[in-house]
Amino acid sequence: MISGCSSLSYFSSTCVTGASVFTCSSTLKLNPRRSRLLFQNPRILRNQEPLLRSGRSLVMDSHKPMFDVDKFDDEFVQKLKSGNLPGVGMMHAPISLLPTAFPEIYWNQACDVTPIFSELIDRVSLDGKFLQDSLSRTKKADIFTSRLLDIHSNMLERNKKEDIRLGLHRFDYMLDEETNSLLQIEMNTIACSFPGHSRLVSELHQTLLRSYGDQIGIDSERVPKNTSTGQFADAMAKAWLEYNNPRAVVMVIVQAEERNMYDQHWLSSMLKEKHNIVAIRKTLAEVEKEGSVQEDGTLIVGGKAVAVVYFRSGYTPNDHPSESEWNARMLIEESSAVKCPTIAYHLTGTKKIQQELAKPGVLERFLDNKEDIAKLRKCFAGLWSLDDQEIVKQAIEKPGLFVMKPQREGGGNNIYGDDVRDNLLRLQKEGVDGNSAYILMQRIFPKVSNTFMVREGAYHKSQAISELGVYGAYLRNKDKVIVNEQSGYLMRTKISSSDEGGVAAGFGVLDSIYLN
């Protein structure tokens, strides 16, 4: 096996030795437990989750920086990143060289509300009328959401029950400097990326701080242990057990040209090594071609019974270029396989439902505990329908204070700055139907901090902001909640001058947190 790989060595793949993360074009398949090597497509992370949508920074003024990057000379930074690119044609995944400071009180808050949000998603998903009614106008303005609602309506008409419900969620937050509060960006219920890589970046930072922490003056133990890969794999394994067919497989739904396959690989690998469960990878088009549902509801794809369907695709119109993909989604929903997510979970994660839940009195429809309701409301940023003429007027007058969001996942879709005004004026001319395709959200303004970003072997000191994503695993079988836990985290950091912050696009990097 490859040896001698220090914290930022370079190979033709995304390589992880100890705690290192790298990017490559290799298709080699290695046992990660034995070799500790991870191979990553060079286009990894492009157009992935909506990264950093707004704002200017992270740590509040009341919290001093944990170190002053301006005092680091080039020689010391080169030591941290283990030298220059050796020229072998390989590259690592874009990362922050050191973890980003994050106040422990807000970290604890984000972890504390995760099981409550997961329970909320499950309860909302069971209220078909609420979902259909809340998205009825959006359906007229957004074809993609309309197709999802049609599948959901079909399942309601059949009285299709999903007794076993698996949710692998991520809840994204920023620290707002003006309100000094942790505010939620969004709830993600489908294809939550980076549970594999986020763990590795945390391990990388812990390794660096153990080696250089004394010189920097910070403690590696203040980087929280990140168990995202193991906990997500464990939840899928428990769902597989609940399905109770030892010959069945887990099916990962992927894009035709998957750019993040090795983040997904870690989950599949852990399923096999820890739980002896086989995972197969299929596109929606392949499912339509190879799939069928037996009379007892069993989903058969490629001759294999499927116990769990784990979506890492299917969240954008681009994932449905033909009727084949929509037929596959319907086929999956018709089956008895455990879906992650179900069509109802998918719809619960839309921006419009998030905005509806923020309305006064709506949480009380789904939750009984007043303390839990108060905890969730504390995290809500301002969210409004475009039917609110007073808010629309304010957004036209001061567009920099708002973000305009369509019903889309995957990043690069939000509207900022003067474009908010232009689009609102355009919609006013076109009529009210188009309003339902969007919501308005309060723009969050975090504080800027200096960060070393490492990309393609070179480091750059940049003014940056960060977004914290907290993973949550939820598994229920009828009335029995089997899993409901915070399951690791994802930190992403980007240059503060960018509205959207895709990792592979050159703005954002994978990061971890340092509790202060």
Side-chain angles (χ1 to χ4, degrees):
M1 310 312 299
I2 298 174
S3 62
C5 177
S6 56
S7 59
L8 279 177
S9 302
Y10 294 82
F11 302 97
S12 71
S13 71
T14 296
C15 158
V16 177
T17 71
S20 310
V21 186
F22 309 95
T23 306
C24 86
S25 58
S26 172
T27 57
L28 270 172
K29 295 182 178 179
L30 299 178
N31 184 323
R33 182 162 59 187
R34 295 178 58 194
S35 66
R36 301 294 293 164
L37 293 178
L38 168 65
F39 292 87
Q40 176 67 49
N41 187 299
R43 295 174 296 175
I44 179 176
L45 313 180
R46 189 174 302 158
N47 297 328
Q48 293 299 310
E49 295 296 319
L51 191 51
L52 302 170
R53 301 162 187 73
S54 62
R56 301 174 305 210
S57 112
L58 187 63
V59 184
M60 302 298 145
D61 285 335
S62 58
H63 297 272
K64 294 181 180 179
M66 57 184 178
F67 48 77
D68 186 355
V69 298
D70 292 326
K71 295 181 179 179
F72 292 2
D73 60 26
D74 181 73
E75 181 180 359
F76 181 64
V77 177
Q78 291 291 353
K79 285 182 180 180
L80 286 175
K81 75 179 195 69
S82 303
N84 294 313
L85 182 67
V88 293
M90 323 306 175
M91 62 179 178
H92 61 88
I95 61 169
S96 170
L97 184 58
L98 292 167
T100 294
F102 197 91
E104 187 169 7
I105 185 175
Y106 296 115
W107 161 251
N108 291 334
Q109 179 187 353
C111 293
D112 183 45
V113 297
T114 296
I116 308 173
F117 272 118
S118 292
E119 181 66 34
L120 174 66
I121 287 170
D122 186 69
R123 295 190 184 187
V124 172
S125 75
L126 298 176
D127 194 333
K129 186 177 188 303
F130 174 79
L131 291 173
Q132 289 284 333
D133 289 350
S134 298
L135 292 165
S136 60
R137 291 188 58 200
T138 303
K139 181 176 183 176
K140 298 177 182 179
D142 188 299
I143 295 175
F144 179 66
T145 303
S146 176
R147 294 298 299 265
L148 295 176
L149 284 166
D150 286 344
I151 296 174
H152 180 249
S153 179
N154 190 300
M155 296 302 107
L156 291 177
E157 290 173 3
R158 300 185 189 192
N159 197 29
K160 177 71 164 57
K161 302 295 184 183
E162 299 291 346
D163 291 334
I164 307 172
R165 301 188 292 279
L166 172 64
L168 298 178
H169 310 307
R170 198 186 68 236
F171 306 99
D172 295 337
Y173 305 90
M174 276 184 169
L175 286 177
D176 185 55
E177 183 180 22
E178 296 184 8
T179 61
N180 200 37
S181 56
L182 183 78
L183 298 180
Q184 189 178 86
I185 303 292
E186 66 177 352
M187 304 187 301
N188 300 281
T189 61
I190 183 170
C192 300
S193 65
F194 302 130
H197 285 337
S198 61
R199 172 181 64 86
L200 298 172
V201 174
S202 299
E203 292 177 2
L204 167 63
H205 286 162
Q206 289 168 337
T207 299
L208 284 172
L209 295 189
R210 280 193 291 269
S211 299
Y212 298 99
D214 290 343
Q215 299 176 58
I216 303 173
I218 56 178
D219 180 8
S220 65
E221 296 300 316
R222 301 299 292 171
V223 177
K225 185 178 180 180
N226 197 342
T227 56
S228 52
T229 314
Q231 287 184 268
F232 267 22
D234 288 349
M236 279 194 280
K238 289 177 181 178
W240 180 87
L241 285 171
E242 291 296 315
Y243 188 78
N244 196 27
N245 182 346
R247 296 185 179 181
V249 301
V250 170
M251 181 170 66
V252 185
I253 301 296
V254 299
Q255 294 175 330
E257 296 184 4
E258 182 58 65
R259 294 164 177 157
N260 201 12
M261 65 182 296
Y262 290 103
D263 175 60
Q264 304 157 12
H265 161 78
W266 283 105
L267 294 175
S268 299
S269 177
M270 191 165 289
L271 279 173
K272 179 59 178 176
E273 293 187 8
K274 186 176 179 181
H275 303 284
N276 198 30
I277 298 171
V278 173
I280 63 173
R281 299 170 61 83
K282 296 290 182 179
T283 65
L284 285 171
E286 289 172 332
V287 171
E288 197 264 351
K289 182 179 180 181
E290 304 173 19
S292 63
V293 176
Q294 297 182 335
E295 288 186 6
D296 65 355
T298 302
L299 176 63
I300 305 292
V301 178
K304 301 179 187 298
V306 177
V308 178
V309 182
Y310 173 44
F311 283 88
R312 291 297 293 262
S313 175
Y315 54 88
T316 75
N318 293 337
D319 293 334
H320 302 76
S322 71
E323 284 301 306
S324 292
E325 287 76 18
W326 288 112
N327 292 340
R329 187 65 187 269
M330 179 67 82
L331 187 75
I332 292 169
E333 291 298 323
E334 289 172 339
S335 78
S336 63
V338 181
K339 297 94 179 169
C340 184
T342 64
I343 191 69
Y345 267 38
H346 188 169
L347 290 169
T348 301
T350 58
K351 308 298 188 297
K352 178 60 180 176
I353 295 300
Q354 185 179 358
Q355 179 253 312
E356 288 291 320
L357 291 172
K359 288 182 176 179
V362 176
L363 287 180
E364 286 79 0
R365 177 170 177 168
F366 303 103
L367 300 175
D368 301 319
N369 189 300
K370 293 182 179 180
E371 290 185 4
D372 287 349
I373 291 171
K375 288 178 180 179
L376 298 193
R377 283 224 171 91
K378 189 176 181 181
C379 298
F380 286 163
L383 293 161
W384 303 276
S385 164
L386 266 63
D387 294 332
D388 189 328
Q389 293 302 311
E390 182 58 33
I391 288 295
V392 169
K393 180 182 177 182
Q394 291 181 32
I396 291 173
E397 293 173 351
K398 298 180 179 179
L401 299 181
F402 297 86
V403 180
M404 195 170 169
K405 291 186 171 186
Q407 312 302 315
R408 291 290 180 272
E409 304 295 335
N413 301 300
N414 295 335
I415 300 169
Y416 300 88
D418 290 341
D419 289 338
V420 171
R421 176 193 294 117
D422 295 343
N423 278 274
L424 289 174
L425 292 173
R426 173 182 61 80
L427 288 171
Q428 286 183 345
K429 292 180 180 178
E430 293 176 355
V432 296
D433 287 345
N435 288 352
S436 301
Y438 301 89
I439 66 165
L440 280 171
M441 179 176 173
Q442 164 194 352
R443 185 159 185 172
I444 301 171
F445 292 103
K447 180 187 171 186
V448 174
S449 60
N450 285 327
T451 302
F452 284 117
M453 297 184 179
V454 184
R455 183 183 294 275
E456 297 184 13
Y459 76 89
H460 305 276
K461 185 173 71 175
S462 305
Q463 289 192 318
I465 61 175
S466 299
E467 179 177 327
L468 173 67
V470 179
Y471 295 111
Y474 185 94
L475 176 64
R476 188 184 193 108
N477 190 344
K478 297 182 179 178
D479 294 333
K480 182 182 178 181
V481 176
I482 300 164
V483 177
N484 187 11
E485 58 190 12
Q486 183 265 333
S487 305
Y489 70 96
L490 167 69
M491 189 72 154
R492 291 164 296 178
T493 295
K494 67 151 193 173
I495 58 175
S496 59
S497 59
S498 172
D499 288 327
E500 297 285 357
V503 173
F507 302 110
V509 297
L510 300 174
D511 201 348
S512 70
I513 67 176
Y514 185 92
L515 298 177
N516 62 4

